[in-house]
Amino acid sequence: MTSAWMEMAAGRGALGIGLIVAGVVVVVLLLGAFVLGVRVKRRELPTPRPDEQPRLPDGGPVRETSERREPDEVPRSQDRLTPHELKTHGNQSDRRSATQERPRWNEGSSGSFGSGGPGGR
């Protein structure tokens, strides 16, 4: 009976030693990652000084322009079209739309697809 207890105690001791070794390995890996990170950070360029920061142009901030354009239709073909066969990038043309009003949702509609409900306000 005592030998069974001794074997069980020896097994627990080996398990404990294995956990300690695994913990030490994890700590060494974390320290190595930290040292590597410090080395990489030292090789980076320093952050710019306040006098090196970007400045606004003399004319003030640049304004964004927004305009609606006429859509281009995709040509009908029996073959699959590749991007270089389309005349413009994307589906917008260079033609400015006659009306520049933004499209609005229909009154009484929720504006989402497949809502199934009246979506009234």
Side-chain angles (χ1 to χ4, degrees):
M1 209 115 5
T2 45
S3 65
W5 286 103
M6 292 174 100
E7 286 178 21
M8 194 166 26
R12 286 184 182 167
L15 178 65
I17 291 173
L19 288 175
I20 290 173
V21 169
V24 169
V25 168
V26 167
V27 168
V28 167
L29 287 174
L30 288 173
L31 286 174
F34 178 77
V35 169
L36 181 64
V38 168
R39 286 183 183 172
V40 168
K41 183 73 175 163
R42 283 185 185 162
R43 280 189 255 142
E44 290 178 357
L45 294 174
T47 56
R49 297 185 314 266
D51 59 322
E52 296 174 337
Q53 297 289 333
R55 300 278 180 228
L56 282 176
D58 292 336
V62 178
R63 301 280 186 240
E64 180 179 308
T65 59
S66 178
E67 63 181 17
R68 291 181 35 90
R69 297 183 176 269
E70 292 291 330
D72 270 341
E73 296 294 326
V74 177
R76 300 273 182 201
S77 173
Q78 295 294 337
D79 300 325
R80 181 176 177 195
L81 293 175
T82 57
H84 70 274
E85 293 173 320
L86 299 174
K87 61 181 177 178
T88 59
H89 178 71
N91 63 352
Q92 297 294 316
S93 71
D94 293 328
R95 297 184 318 249
R96 190 169 190 261
S97 178
T99 171
Q100 291 297 309
E101 291 181 18
R102 288 178 47 202
R104 300 290 181 194
W105 300 114
N106 294 335
E107 193 65 36
S109 170
S110 69
S112 65
F113 296 104
S115 65
R121 294 179 188 186

